[in-house]
Amino acid sequence: MCGIIGYIGKENATPLLFEGLRRESYRGYDSSGIVVFEEQATHYVRAVGKLEKLEEKFANNPFSGNIGVGHSRWATHGNVTEANAHPHADCKQNIFVVHNGIIENYAALKEKLEKKGHRFTSQTDTEVLPHLIEHFFKGNLEEAVQKTLQLVKGTYGLAVIAKEDPEKIVAARLSSPLVISVNSGGGFVASDPAALLSHSNKMIFLDDKEIAVVQSDNFRVTDMYNKPKEKEIVELEWTLEEAQKGGYPYFMLKEIIEQSESVKNSMRGRILTEEGRAKLGGLQQVEKQLRDIKRLNIIACGTSYHAGLVGEYMLEEYAGIPTDVDFASEFRYRKPIIDKETAFVFISQSGETADTLAALKEVKEKGGLTLGIVNVVGSSIARETDAGAYNHAGPEIGVASTKAFTSQLTVLSLLCLFLGRQRQMSLVMGQRIAKELARIPELIPQILSGADNIEKLAQKYRDARNFLYVGRKYNYPVALEGALKLKEISYIHAEGYGAGEMKHGPIALIDENFPTIALCPSDSVYEKMVSNIQEIKARNGKVIAIATEGNEDIRKIADDVIYIPKIFEMLTPILTTIPLQLFAYYIGVLKGNDVDKPRNLAKSVTVE
Ligand code: M6R
């Protein structure tokens, strides 16, 4: 997500900070900033947009110094503005903080600090950190950081410098990566090893709840209570590009693997388990209006459209709201009726998809209430919608959407909980959905641990020229999504179908060379799925079943089985989709395709 860089040493920090930010820029960002100390002076510059904007500002007023920190921000709390860009400072501009992650209890901390007279200048959660450090600062920065972090709830990778204790950078980590390197050039801190590789390949990776004090020629690491920790110096053998991919061969694989984390980020701070409710801050301003809404219309393209279809099942079954889903590219041509009783939900990873944006503008012109489920903060769709919920899935670089999809499903589940509890959903059902949703990040690694088996299946089926994907109810849209993944990554023809539609035509295609992937978790339509699988087997079709752990019977009819853990029916798509992503990935790689940049496709489709 965001990028952190810090330097202390004999060199001029400024070009090193810019270089580090540039090397981290592949992760995506919307604003950036640096602060550098030079004897008595503090040089502080921030800018919205590309790094060139920051460089332009710097060029108009250049400076140098031997210690500094820099940051590229991917907005989460607060809009994309200069005031919200990092570094953030305390009241006296003594302490400067760059931070990745989310401070969940920032509102409570901010209120207390404001009562003590601290003045805040941004809408970010991060800004509580410099003020809290200021509150504890008595001349020793690491001591103040330790005390601060003991009060903070949430996640962080952070680097802090203080004008009044200027011989060090203090860095800390909790669930957000941070690496340090002290070499002949000086002391470095970064959120991404890629930013440091040009200086050294010897790095120290901080673990959760560790605090590092980095100086120009040494470092020490302690726990949160100043107890020293032994750290291994790791020698990386990565090229720069490999480092950016975190050691994975492709961004797509990295993004599939990080879904446990991205799903967790999408739900962080939003589930109120005891109350059986979801808290979606971005919907607060329209909460009352939403109570009176009689119908929803979801509008999106591609993978986001498939997420919308899953949402339709969720919202109708558990929130009791009639829901339609439209391709954005078709929506405008059917002369839609925009009434006050309908809310229009636009789903988009990039927030820039031309068709979705055009549909949004049409609804706005006709006075409809518009909501967004968008990953890229500050993107056009995020800005144009009346209200919404961000995905917080982090930048998705692979063209094939993977972690954005599971994040969209997570946010749609939260929306269902939010709207459901405003309506018919009981407390007990709300609590059940909330609890089950919270389990998902723990379940995803169980599926990922079966990746080798999925790779073997990819080898077995790689030469098939056509695939059918079938599912029912919640997993019908997953069948569509699985087929889309395979098409775009492997260039193999694949069809996604509602399993009940098989008899109405597609079953004519089935023979021993036309494999089917059948989504059949143990749910309310399982028996019907088994009948469909039998029909395929009766025509000599090969079947790979995606089934629930413990279901041994399915082995008797399917040729191959991939298991997913048991979960509440409505949430099965978040799990069943992951093996399909891996299957498409491995076949694409086996075919020698560039799975991050499949032919003829763009990450963001900005033409209609
Ligand atoms: O950025 P969006 O979510 O609006 O993009 C919509 C589609 O272009 C996108 O999902 C596309 O289908 C992906 N390549 C699918 O992997």
Side-chain angles (χ1 to χ4, degrees):
M1 227 194 280
C2 316
I4 286 176
I5 181 76
Y7 172 75
I8 178 164
K10 293 193 176 64
E11 309 284 319
N12 177 7
T14 316
L16 297 173
L17 297 181
F18 274 117
E19 183 200 339
L21 291 180
R22 212 167 298 112
R23 292 199 188 282
E24 289 174 336
S25 63
Y26 74 97
R27 299 159 68 91
Y29 64 98
D30 45 52
S31 54
S32 56
I34 59 173
V35 63
V36 170
F37 296 156
E38 183 189 21
E39 292 173 6
Q40 298 315 309
T42 297
H43 304 291
Y44 186 23
V45 57
R46 297 179 291 175
V48 166
K50 293 282 159 213
L51 264 178
E52 288 78 35
K53 296 277 176 212
L54 188 70
E55 283 165 333
E56 264 169 40
K57 279 184 136 185
F58 167 74
N60 291 335
N61 198 0
F63 51 79
S64 60
N66 298 115
I67 172 169
V69 290
H71 189 264
S72 50
R73 174 175 188 249
W74 169 279
T76 55
H77 288 68
N79 301 335
V80 182
T81 62
E82 202 173 299
N84 288 338
H86 301 212
H88 286 288
D90 64 340
C91 300
K92 292 191 291 187
Q93 298 224 330
N94 168 34
I95 291 154
F96 290 84
V97 176
V98 288
H99 164 231
N100 291 350
I102 295 173
I103 306 299
E104 285 166 14
N105 58 340
Y106 84 97
L109 291 171
K110 186 171 174 176
E111 203 183 312
K112 281 188 193 153
L113 286 160
E114 277 176 332
K115 280 191 187 140
K116 288 186 191 298
H118 289 260
R119 297 174 314 282
F120 283 74
T121 56
S122 79
Q123 305 162 307
T124 64
D125 53 330
T126 297
E127 203 189 346
V128 298
L129 294 173
H131 289 283
L132 209 48
I133 297 170
E134 177 182 25
H135 172 73
F136 289 119
F137 187 74
K138 304 264 179 312
N140 180 310
L141 184 59
E142 61 269 36
E143 210 177 281
V145 172
Q146 281 164 16
K147 287 185 177 151
T148 295
L149 296 182
Q150 285 160 23
L151 295 183
V152 157
K153 288 202 185 100
T155 58
Y156 49 79
L158 54 87
V160 193
I161 55 174
K163 192 84 184 115
E164 293 171 16
D165 190 11
E167 300 295 317
K168 60 185 75 147
I169 301 173
V170 177
R173 166 196 161 123
L174 179 59
S175 300
S176 187
L178 211 68
V179 60
I180 62 179
S181 179
V182 179
N183 50 65
S184 54
F188 294 82
V189 175
S191 51
D192 186 334
L196 304 186
L197 266 180
S198 60
H199 305 289
S200 171
N201 66 343
K202 291 193 181 127
M203 316 221 176
I204 299 102
F205 290 85
L206 290 193
D207 289 314
D208 280 350
K209 300 191 178 171
E210 285 183 342
I211 298 181
V213 178
V214 180
Q215 296 188 295
S216 59
D217 53 1
N218 64 60
F219 72 93
R220 70 190 169 85
V221 177
T222 67
D223 69 5
M224 306 278 285
Y225 301 93
N226 208 24
K227 190 167 158 233
K229 302 263 297 230
E230 283 290 314
K231 293 299 289 181
E232 185 195 355
I233 299 181
V234 180
E235 212 161 313
L236 289 188
E237 283 168 10
W238 291 347
T239 62
L240 184 61
E241 207 194 65
E242 282 166 350
Q244 290 181 334
K245 291 175 187 153
Y248 293 102
Y250 289 97
F251 283 110
M252 182 180 176
L253 183 60
K254 177 173 180 276
E255 287 158 6
I256 292 173
I257 302 283
E258 67 195 17
Q259 287 179 106
S260 171
E261 200 51 39
S262 53
V263 162
K264 201 192 280 176
N265 286 336
S266 301
M267 58 176 78
R268 192 183 300 286
R270 291 171 159 179
I271 300 179
L272 306 175
T273 313
E274 286 312 305
E275 295 169 46
R277 287 195 304 117
K279 189 173 125 196
L280 291 167
L283 295 186
Q284 236 165 19
Q285 79 218 60
V286 293
E287 200 168 339
K288 277 210 190 97
Q289 244 173 305
L290 288 174
R291 278 181 199 279
D292 300 328
I293 286 302
K294 301 271 181 305
R295 180 171 278 281
L296 289 169
N297 195 161
I298 299 176
I299 297 158
C301 297
T303 291
S304 301
Y305 169 79
H306 297 152
L309 291 176
V310 178
E312 176 181 14
Y313 285 94
M314 293 175 174
L315 289 155
E316 293 195 335
E317 183 164 9
Y318 290 102
I321 309 178
T323 303
D324 295 311
V325 189
D326 278 274
F327 281 125
S329 51
E330 287 299 321
F331 178 77
R332 290 190 300 157
Y333 305 111
R334 63 177 184 77
K335 303 281 172 238
I337 291 144
I338 313 294
D339 59 49
K340 295 281 174 214
E341 299 196 321
T342 305
F344 295 83
V345 184
F346 296 84
I347 307 180
S348 175
Q349 187 287 129
S350 61
E352 301 296 348
T353 300
D355 284 316
T356 314
L357 194 54
L360 164 60
K361 286 187 174 152
E362 170 121 6
V363 174
K364 278 186 82 174
E365 264 165 36
K366 294 184 175 162
L369 172 65
T370 60
L371 310 177
I373 297 178
V374 176
N375 192 34
V376 179
V377 175
S379 56
S380 305
I381 295 173
R383 279 185 280 113
E384 297 268 336
T385 38
D386 295 309
Y390 279 118
N391 287 103
H392 299 314
E396 191 178 65
I397 294 166
V399 164
S401 196
T402 53
K403 66 173 181 173
F405 182 64
T406 46
S407 163
Q408 287 163 346
L409 299 182
T410 304
V411 174
L412 282 161
S413 315
L414 292 165
L415 181 67
C416 175
L417 198 53
F418 181 93
L419 296 174
R421 293 288 283 126
Q422 281 187 334
R423 294 171 169 75
Q424 60 171 40
M425 191 189 287
S426 69
L427 170 65
V428 174
M429 179 54 77
Q431 287 171 329
R432 179 155 185 217
I433 293 175
K435 276 190 197 142
E436 288 286 281
L437 199 49
R439 284 175 62 222
I440 287 190
E442 294 157 33
L443 302 181
I444 291 175
Q446 292 178 33
I447 302 172
L448 296 172
S449 68
D452 289 353
N453 173 40
I454 299 173
E455 187 173 9
K456 282 190 194 124
L457 293 178
Q459 263 152 3
K460 178 171 169 186
Y461 289 97
R462 61 180 288 184
D463 294 324
R465 299 188 54 189
N466 303 282
F467 275 87
L468 196 65
Y469 285 69
V470 291
R472 281 174 179 264
K473 201 176 169 186
Y474 287 101
N475 282 286
Y476 155 56
V478 179
L480 301 182
E481 175 59 9
L484 175 66
K485 276 308 74 102
L486 191 72
K487 273 183 255 202
E488 47 180 355
I489 297 306
S490 72
Y491 316 144
I492 295 175
H493 169 244
E495 297 264 7
Y497 254 93
E501 278 296 295
M502 289 284 297
K503 289 195 277 294
H504 301 286
I507 202 158
L509 295 167
I510 296 297
D511 64 18
E512 65 278 16
N513 298 316
F514 202 130
T516 298
I517 299 202
L519 292 142
C520 53
S522 306
D523 60 10
S524 62
V525 288
Y526 174 73
E527 300 300 337
K528 289 210 160 28
M529 277 303 299
V530 170
S531 305
N532 296 130
I533 294 172
Q534 304 276 21
E535 287 157 11
I536 295 166
K537 289 307 300 170
R539 279 135 190 107
N540 296 324
K542 298 268 185 296
V543 173
I544 305 172
I546 313 293
T548 305
E549 250 162 30
N551 178 359
E552 289 303 318
D553 290 346
I554 196 76
R555 287 195 181 280
K556 295 180 197 143
I557 43 173
D559 296 86
D560 293 286
V561 182
I562 302 171
Y563 285 111
I564 58 143
K566 180 141 190 63
I567 190 79
F568 189 59
E569 179 176 19
M570 174 187 123
L571 303 174
T572 51
I574 307 180
L575 300 184
T576 51
T577 195
I578 294 173
L580 308 191
Q581 296 169 346
L582 282 168
F583 186 72
Y585 167 80
Y586 286 122
I587 293 202
V589 170
L590 284 168
K591 289 193 171 290
N593 300 344
D594 180 350
V595 297
D596 280 343
K597 294 194 191 83
R599 69 186 182 201
N600 310 337
L601 295 177
K603 181 66 188 158
S604 177
V605 184
T606 51
V607 285
E608 285 182 46

